[in-house]
Amino acid sequence: MDWWWRQQLAGEGLQVLIHAQHQIVSRTQALAAGLADTDIRRRLRGRRWRTVHPGVYATHTGPIGYDERLVAALLYAGPEAAWSHYTAAEQLGLIKCDDRRPVYVTIPWRRRVRARPGLVITRDRQWEDRLAAVVPPRRRPADAVLDIVGISAGLDDAAAVIAEACQSARVTPDQILRALADRPQLRHRAALGSILADVAEGTHSLLELHYLHKVERAHGLPSGQRQRAVDGEFTDVAYLPFDLVVELDGRFHFAPRQRWRDLARDNRAALRSEVSLRYGWLDVTSRPCDAAVQVLHVLRRKDPHLPAHPCSPTCPVR
């Protein structure tokens, strides 16, 4: 399964291949190009090459960056290795790249490769069935997401990566649900169906999922429209019959430009005769009942008899 580099090596030669691999090369590649073991040792002794992993070398003297680490991990893991988990999701554009993470590589179950610092190697009985049709080899988008779910410490972490991946528009909740069918032992599996259903309805972040469950559903509020397109942007939650917009943002905005965008968005809502309520992470996760009271107060301006219910004996919603 090392065809992904053998084709380029045969067609363009070793130097072009090394350049395409961010100046990383493996002993197997060097030998396939016609170099001898003595040639490799001479380059290492002369410090023109240096070892990244056993049998994998950097052909430059500068720092080993993230791109080099990615290629070196694949070459070290050998034939039938593919990026997986966070690494595959990053390279597929599903989640933001974070070069502080280790490199994740998955190999077939029958193979064994010794772990290395900064490199996580997993084995999979269905390795070939879960490959994307791209090079260098990596997992399919849905399987990369489920890889991460399987190692997530909590359900919130799993939900967050599902929401972020689906927001990228490179994978859909239906694709993840289909990939889930052949993972009966996956961690958090029982809860994923409802999370995927909520994401399919337009919930794009973990904060939006918390608002949906802890504010809206927990208090029997009407179901808002998620990600409504208006005035060239998207509103997080819109209660259209009630002229109410709820914006959710888990970040702390100290940048004047972002604060200006928030104010401009609220002003445009006012020009549409809509009330705009804005909640952050602590509002939704620590004070959901207070948020529900405020939302209900605005909703009942249009419908004074709108039903709602408290989520607990001490909940102020009436």
Side-chain angles (χ1 to χ4, degrees), residues 177-256:
L177 193 61
R178 288 197 295 272
L180 184 63
D182 65 2
R183 297 198 187 208
Q185 306 302 320
L186 185 72
R187 193 175 191 180
H188 310 301
R189 191 182 193 280
L192 293 186
S194 60
I195 292 173
L196 289 165
D198 292 338
V199 171
E201 291 180 6
T203 305
H204 279 181
S205 71
L206 180 58
L207 182 57
E208 292 177 37
L209 282 168
H210 277 310
Y211 177 86
L212 175 63
H213 289 274
K214 295 185 176 184
V215 178
E216 195 173 274
R217 290 180 180 170
H219 299 94
L221 302 181
S223 179
Q225 179 180 336
R226 267 66 194 174
Q227 302 301 316
R228 175 191 60 157
V230 60
D231 291 342
E233 60 189 11
F234 292 91
T235 56
D236 290 329
V237 188
Y239 299 92
L240 297 180
F242 304 94
D243 296 328
L244 171 63
V245 171
V246 172
E247 297 291 356
L248 302 165
D249 199 335
R251 298 166 295 177
F252 292 99
H253 292 321
F254 297 106

Side-chain angles (χ1 to χ4, degrees), residues 39-56:
D39 298 320
I40 297 173
R41 289 196 295 269
R42 185 168 59 250
R43 285 165 169 79
L44 291 170
R45 284 198 303 268
R47 298 185 179 180
R48 287 181 289 164
W49 290 8
R50 56 190 168 127
T51 301
V52 181
H53 299 301
V56 180

Side-chain angles (χ1 to χ4, degrees), residues 126 130 140 142-143 146 171-184 189 192-193 196:
Q126 295 177 264
R130 293 168 176 166
R140 296 182 305 184
D143 288 298
L146 292 179
V171 67
T172 66
D174 282 347
Q175 289 171 334
I176 297 174
L177 193 61
R178 288 197 295 272
L180 184 63
D182 65 2
R183 297 198 187 208
R189 191 182 193 280
L192 293 186
L196 289 165

Side-chain angles (χ1 to χ4, degrees), residues 120-160:
V120 178
I121 297 177
T122 60
R123 297 157 62 219
D124 186 2
R125 297 184 187 277
Q126 295 177 264
W127 178 86
E128 190 170 5
D129 296 335
R130 293 168 176 166
L131 278 182
V134 294
V135 295
R138 66 202 71 178
R139 301 283 250 186
R140 296 182 305 184
D143 288 298
V145 172
L146 292 179
D147 286 342
I148 300 173
V149 169
I151 62 172
S152 295
L155 190 57
D156 273 5
D157 296 330

Side-chain angles (χ1 to χ4, degrees), residues 40-97:
I40 297 173
R41 289 196 295 269
R42 185 168 59 250
R43 285 165 169 79
L44 291 170
R45 284 198 303 268
R47 298 185 179 180
R48 287 181 289 164
W49 290 8
R50 56 190 168 127
T51 301
V52 181
H53 299 301
V56 180
Y57 317 109
T59 63
H60 63 81
T61 57
I64 304 297
Y66 190 52
D67 290 334
E68 290 99 319
R69 288 171 51 208
L70 294 178
V71 177
L74 271 185
L75 295 179
Y76 168 71
E80 297 181 308
W83 290 325
S84 60
H85 298 76
Y86 288 101
T87 305
E90 290 174 356
Q91 298 307 304
L92 290 164
L94 305 178
I95 63 174
K96 293 178 182 178
C97 183

